[in-house]
Amino acid sequence: MTDIILCKLGEIVLKGLNRKSFELKLMGNIRRRLAPLGKFRVYCLQSTVYVEAEDESADIDAAFEALKKVFGIIKLSRAAACEKDPAAIARRAIEYLRDDMLVAKSFKVESKRSDKSFPMTSIQLSQYVGGELAEAYPGTAVDVHEPELTVYIEIRDLAAYVHAAAVPGAGGMPVGSNGTAVTLLSGGIDSPVSTYMIAKRGVRLIPIHYFSFPYTSQAAKEKVIELARLLTEYTGRMTLEVVPFTHIQEEIRDKCPEEYFTLIMRRFMMRIAERIAEANGAKAIVTGENLGQVASQTMEAMASTQAVTHLPTLQPLVGMDKEEIVQMARRIGTFDTSILPYEDCCTVFTPRHPRTRPKISEVEEVEAALDVQALVEEALAGIERIKLDHEEL
Ligand code: ATP
Ligand code: MG
């Protein structure tokens, strides 16, 4: 008999008819996430996904940590299994709930029996276990109306379960339940956060990185690979598309006025992203842009960037403050990697006086000096694909 984990489903409960497919998607994501941690049984009953170890090899502690990062779970708790005997249940509760009982000022016990042959009624069992707990933890009073802690006991077919307090899950919707998008991943602080936010809405993501070797180093690329790998804990496995960007940047540098460098470069990024999206059935382009943060993030600049694609661009950070973005990057675990000091392709060719309020027609005129189509095809032909999985973390 081992612990089980109970995962409460989040928003997907509201989805009526789609609910079943959301549940299946979530269970698939959970199974894949737990596969490297041993053998688990995963099933769903009444908007709760149950995870049970199937044999001794299953690492239930690691599973609990991993499940905190799976989107679609709003809260999760563990329950300890024990013999279906009142004294054994009380002993288990006293030992298993020690930390919770020492902190809480008041508690109550709620019991549920699906095995009706159990010798006590639910109320009798609650009273008995409550009495034993109160004796073991005299600092915590029984309060059946507004308890700080509710202890749940469940008598099921094979065992009895004592539930610990729930902790918050990652929320959101199961990845894959809301389609696919490409996400532009630089080595900066912002784009890992924007990727995380759109994954949270249930979108499967294909990260794209534009790489300008030798202007940007191998170490800069490794950093982006590491960021994408860190994100797989939330997004599930992904394939990073590394697009060779050097020739495009050199062409822009040689043939266009300096003040337009960034704008034209960003238009190339969007065109290539759209083509990768089309090839993979992705329906949107995610970026980490943030209104007013840098010269290329004015509304006019965004208009000229987005004019080259028909796909919606999703910019979840657009209205956030830098400090809020930094906090989130720390929370999801990408910040320390993002601040490693490697150059990005944008910084290498940054104009001294960038155009901040460009007209689209102006940018088009300047860009006419380039063979846009051929450059896009050449970049697409040189893509390197790197498969990433959280198993490698
Ligand atoms: P970040 O912190 O994500 O680098 P930023 O504040 O530096 O963002 P910009 O340099 O203007 O902003 O880039 C805006 C967005 O364009 C980035 O958030 C990212 O989505 C995308 N982007 C920029 N450079 C690259 C790159 N080399 N490869 C892929 N995407 C990029
Ligand atoms: Mg950047």
Side-chain angles (χ1 to χ4, degrees):
M1 278 186 285
T2 65
D3 284 12
I4 60 171
I5 299 172
L6 297 95
C7 309
K8 269 273 164 224
L9 306 201
E11 262 173 88
I12 66 176
V13 176
L14 306 172
K15 297 280 169 189
L17 284 179
N18 286 332
R19 181 171 147 184
K20 195 80 218 154
S21 72
F22 277 52
E23 286 176 356
L24 289 174
K25 191 64 89 181
L26 178 61
M27 285 196 286
N29 291 352
I30 289 176
R31 286 196 185 99
R32 215 171 301 118
R33 187 68 187 85
L34 298 185
L37 304 176
K39 271 197 162 164
F40 294 90
R41 204 158 83 83
V42 178
Y43 55 94
C44 187
L45 291 172
Q46 292 159 349
S47 299
T48 302
V49 173
Y50 291 76
V51 175
E52 282 178 28
E54 267 200 289
D55 59 32
E56 293 303 312
S57 74
D59 185 342
I60 198 94
D61 294 327
F64 193 66
E65 288 313 305
L67 290 172
K68 286 182 188 168
K69 295 179 174 173
V70 173
F71 292 129
I73 299 172
I74 195 161
K75 58 181 181 180
L76 57 165
S77 58
R78 285 174 72 150
C82 65
E83 241 179 280
K84 290 198 280 183
D85 163 69
I89 295 170
R91 272 200 307 276
R92 195 79 173 99
I94 289 169
E95 136 208 318
Y96 192 65
L97 301 173
R98 193 183 140 75
D99 293 346
D100 295 329
M101 286 296 292
L102 287 175
V103 181
K105 294 207 170 43
S106 60
F107 80 102
K108 75 168 176 181
V109 179
E110 263 186 33
S111 307
K112 210 161 65 183
R113 297 183 314 163
S114 51
D115 170 10
K116 301 292 176 197
S117 69
F118 190 74
M120 283 181 174
T121 64
S122 302
I123 293 173
Q124 285 170 335
L125 180 61
S126 298
Q127 282 172 346
Y128 168 69
V129 177
E132 296 291 304
L133 277 169
E135 204 169 292
Y137 300 100
T140 311
V142 175
D143 178 350
V144 292
H145 301 294
E146 276 184 43
E148 216 173 276
L149 174 69
T150 302
V151 173
Y152 295 97
I153 312 270
E154 237 186 305
I155 311 292
R156 305 222 320 234
D157 284 347
L158 296 176
Y161 293 93
V162 177
H163 295 227
V167 300
M173 303 190 204
V175 167
S177 62
N178 250 339
T180 303
V182 296
T183 179
L184 304 197
L185 194 62
S186 67
I189 295 169
D190 301 343
S191 44
V193 177
S194 52
T195 303
Y196 165 90
M197 284 176 77
I198 297 301
K200 186 171 180 179
R201 300 314 299 157
V203 178
R204 188 174 78 87
L205 290 162
I206 301 166
I208 302 176
H209 180 66
Y210 301 95
F211 183 46
S212 300
F213 191 77
Y215 301 101
T216 54
S217 63
Q218 196 59 30
K221 176 170 142 189
E222 292 300 327
K223 171 181 165 182
V224 175
I225 295 172
E226 178 59 15
L227 285 170
R229 211 195 308 275
L230 289 170
L231 286 165
T232 58
E233 284 208 79
Y234 301 95
T235 61
R237 58 192 166 180
M238 298 194 289
T239 300
L240 173 67
E241 310 247 343
V242 180
V243 180
F245 212 49
T246 314
H247 191 206
I248 290 176
Q249 289 205 296
E250 287 173 341
E251 282 285 295
I252 298 172
R253 180 194 59 196
D254 295 345
K255 298 184 179 159
C256 303
E258 185 184 315
E259 60 198 295
Y260 293 96
F261 281 2
T262 309
L263 289 166
I264 295 175
M265 180 190 76
R266 299 195 60 72
R267 282 160 65 90
F268 273 97
M269 288 185 179
M270 297 308 267
R271 290 188 182 100
I272 294 167
E274 182 176 82
R275 291 284 298 275
I276 295 174
E278 278 168 1
N280 290 280
K283 304 288 185 229
I285 301 173
V286 181
T287 74
E289 275 159 314
N290 182 249
L291 201 58
Q293 200 187 83
V294 294
S296 61
Q297 296 179 2
T298 64
M299 287 181 276
E300 290 84 347
M302 287 186 192
S304 95
T305 307
Q306 288 169 28
V308 298
T309 175
H310 299 292
L311 293 177
T313 54
L314 307 180
Q315 304 170 326
L317 311 187
V318 79
M320 285 169 79
D321 289 346
K322 191 72 191 180
E323 194 43 44
E324 293 171 312
I325 300 171
V326 165
Q327 264 175 24
M328 201 151 179
R330 284 188 200 279
R331 189 163 59 72
I332 66 174
T334 53
F335 183 77
D336 291 341
T337 305
S338 284
I339 58 172
L340 293 174
Y342 305 120
E343 62 298 320
D344 180 47
C345 68
C346 304
T347 42
V348 178
F349 293 91
T350 305
R352 281 158 297 181
H353 305 290
R355 221 42 198 112
T356 51
R357 311 225 176 274
K359 285 206 186 73
I360 294 178
S361 57
E362 217 175 273
V363 183
E364 283 171 351
E365 234 166 83
V366 169
E367 206 178 58
L370 305 172
D371 187 346
V372 171
Q373 219 38 48
L375 285 167
V376 168
E377 296 300 336
E378 181 192 317
L380 286 169
I383 288 178
E384 179 193 1
R385 295 189 175 83
I386 302 171
K387 286 198 162 128
L388 300 166
D389 208 321
H390 48 72
E391 285 176 42
E392 295 152 21
L393 277 172

